[in-house]
Amino acid sequence: MSGKRKAALGFIFVTLLIDVMGFGVIIPILPQLIGGMVHGGNGTSALYGGLLMFAFAGMQFLFSPVIGNLSDQYGRRPVLLFSLMGFCIDYLILALAPTIGWLFVGRILAGITGASFTTASAYIADISTPEKRAQNFGMIGVAFGVGFILGPLIGGYVGYFFGTRAPFYFSAGLTFLNMVYGYFILPESLDKEHRRKFDWKRANPAGALKSLKRYPALSGFMICLFCLFVAGHATQSTWIYFTAERFHWGPNMIGLSLGLVGLLVAIVQGGLVRVINPWLGVKKSIVYGLLIYMLGNILFAFANREWMMFVFMIPYCLGGFANPAMQAATANQVPANEQGELQGAITSLQSLSSIAGPLLMTNLFYFFTNKTPGSVYFPGVPFLAASVLIVAGLFFVRKGFTKLGASNPEFAAEQTVTEEIVAAE
């Protein structure tokens, strides 16, 4: 990779790091904030937390293809800066919100403008050679991991010492600094000769996904990604409520646990990915990674001691080496002037999963923690649901590789191994 490309990758890494830190800061205090507004317990707070994610994801589902297509016409840089401005305003609204309704207003605004990871993924695809994309996509995981080391730790302590609103102001400040940094430092990654005109027919969720049908192998990968996105909400949507319910963790302990998750993710994405993925190849990286990820979810479901949660983070996070391999497998199938559209379609899928995922996982959590006569008490059931979805994802990714092998013989050699592993599962 040339020096210019390395510098650009460094810029996008710092941009995403600050972005993730801004989001991570507010996580530990959400149960207390929501609970104080709705005057309910962990189950009720989880339901409202799921609805807030639903509002954010619904807007992202509708607007991510628009943002992705705009970045294909106007470039990644201005779209990314616009996204960060929207997040900054969102955090200020959340900081000042007098009622739960205003929390929804902020999340809706953030969903409309938020496309930082969509645009960042397209940016990385722009500056990466095909053989380096899996490693470079791993930098997103590193930013996510490091941001989740610092963000929740800071949020837990800021919330503890300065009140539940203080982390929102802190996040607004971080995001503003991020936007200023990007304005002065971040270069444009998409050359004008690789741009294409905005097309409303392709700038909507259905149009974006339909336009990708001309790449037959993508369907299996996209369905697998959807299953994984929904499965991820077992942790994303219920971790703070699950640990508060089962272990009575407060903001400090929640922040510490998420910080450790972030550290492990950073180690996997920043170090192990660069060793494991080239050694195993794309296909085996995806299959083995998903199997380990499934094991981590099953272990979380049955954890009944605090120390178990920390030990079981290891297989859960280790399975993350499948993620950059999945991103590389999809990005390598489309040309440069459609990377924004592809990432917009993936973000739409992720947003659709963030509509279904929080509702599914928080309702499962509520149902199995609602201590009514005759009910079954099992707070870990969302993690079991995630394991089932991962198995479904393995089935669909096998179909994707089958189609890819038929059109690209270089993948055929490894196909038998993938089929045997998935069939055994």
Side-chain angles (χ1 to χ4, degrees), residues 138-166:
M139 295 301 295
I140 295 178
V142 177
F144 184 88
V146 175
F148 259 67
I149 295 170
L150 301 175
L153 286 173
I154 294 171
Y157 285 99
V158 169
Y160 179 80
F161 287 108
F162 300 101
T164 55
R165 303 295 180 132

Side-chain angles (χ1 to χ4, degrees), residues 9 38 40 42 62 90 95 98 109 130 147 161 198 219 222-223 225 243 291 325 327 329 341 368 396-397 401 410 417:
L9 193 60
V38 301
N42 289 321
L62 295 174
D90 164 50
L109 173 64
F161 287 108
F198 182 86
S219 60
M222 300 294 269
I223 297 173
L225 282 171
T243 53
L291 290 174
Q327 289 177 294
E341 181 179 32
F368 283 93
F396 285 107
V397 82
F401 277 121
E410 71 180 80
V417 176

Side-chain angles (χ1 to χ4, degrees), residues 32-332:
Q32 288 185 355
L33 178 64
I34 296 173
M37 286 183 170
V38 301
H39 308 291
N42 289 321
T44 303
S45 295
L47 282 178
Y48 276 96
L51 289 173
L52 284 169
M53 295 187 74
F54 172 87
F56 174 80
M59 294 300 100
Q60 275 220 320
F61 174 69
L62 295 174
F63 286 92
S64 287
V66 176
I67 298 296
N69 275 264
L70 285 172
S71 77
D72 280 340
Q73 177 172 351
Y74 297 107
R76 318 300 184 198
R77 183 176 178 275
V79 172
L80 186 58
L81 295 177
F82 174 75
S83 168
L84 295 176
M85 181 181 66
F87 273 120
C88 185
I89 296 172
D90 164 50
Y91 290 134
L92 290 175
I93 291 175
L94 297 181
L96 299 169
T99 64
I100 190 72
W102 279 100
L103 294 184
F104 281 95
V105 171
R107 290 283 78 192
I108 289 171
L109 173 64
I112 292 172
T113 61
S116 56
F117 274 81
T118 301
T119 313
S121 297
Y123 193 106
I124 291 172
D126 291 339
I127 65 173
S128 303
T129 58
E131 62 273 13
K132 289 290 186 180
R133 275 184 177 148
Q135 294 183 30
N136 291 344
F137 276 125
M139 295 301 295
I140 295 178
V142 177
F144 184 88
V146 175
F148 259 67
I149 295 170
L150 301 175
L153 286 173
I154 294 171
Y157 285 99
V158 169
Y160 179 80
F161 287 108
F162 300 101
T164 55
R165 303 295 180 132
F168 294 108
Y169 289 110
F170 188 88
S171 296
L174 276 180
T175 307
F176 179 76
L177 290 175
N178 190 4
M179 182 174 64
V180 173
Y181 173 84
Y183 181 82
F184 288 105
I185 303 298
L186 189 68
E188 179 56 61
S189 64
L190 187 64
D191 297 333
K192 291 185 177 181
E193 58 267 23
H194 289 132
R195 299 182 187 183
R196 63 176 180 83
K197 290 186 177 181
F198 182 86
D199 184 357
W200 278 109
K201 292 182 180 179
R202 298 166 69 170
N204 62 82
L209 293 172
K210 184 178 179 181
S211 68
L212 297 176
K213 288 178 66 177
R214 58 186 179 277
Y215 306 106
L218 273 180
S219 60
F221 292 105
M222 300 294 269
I223 297 173
C224 177
L225 282 171
F226 179 75
C227 292
L228 298 180
F229 291 151
V230 176
H233 280 281
T235 301
Q236 296 171 28
S237 299
T238 66
W239 180 272
I240 54 180
Y241 308 106
F242 171 77
T243 53
E245 175 71 21
R246 177 161 280 185
F247 307 114
H248 307 291
W249 285 0
N252 288 351
M253 198 64 177
I254 291 172
L256 177 64
S257 67
L258 290 174
L260 182 56
V261 169
L263 175 62
L264 292 173
V265 169
I267 291 171
V268 171
Q269 301 289 334
L272 294 182
V273 161
R274 297 177 178 273
V275 177
I276 293 175
N277 287 34
W279 176 51
L280 291 177
V282 171
K283 292 169 63 175
K284 292 180 184 178
S285 294
I286 292 172
V287 175
Y288 293 154
L290 294 185
L291 290 174
I292 297 171
Y293 179 47
M294 180 183 66
L295 173 64
N297 276 282
I298 293 173
L299 292 173
F300 278 153
F302 293 98
N304 57 13
R305 297 289 187 274
E306 291 184 67
W307 63 264
M308 292 181 178
M309 295 300 292
F310 292 97
V311 173
F312 297 162
M313 288 175 189
I314 296 173
Y316 177 84
C317 296
L318 181 60
F321 66 78
N323 296 335
M326 282 288 293
Q327 289 177 294
T330 55
N332 287 344

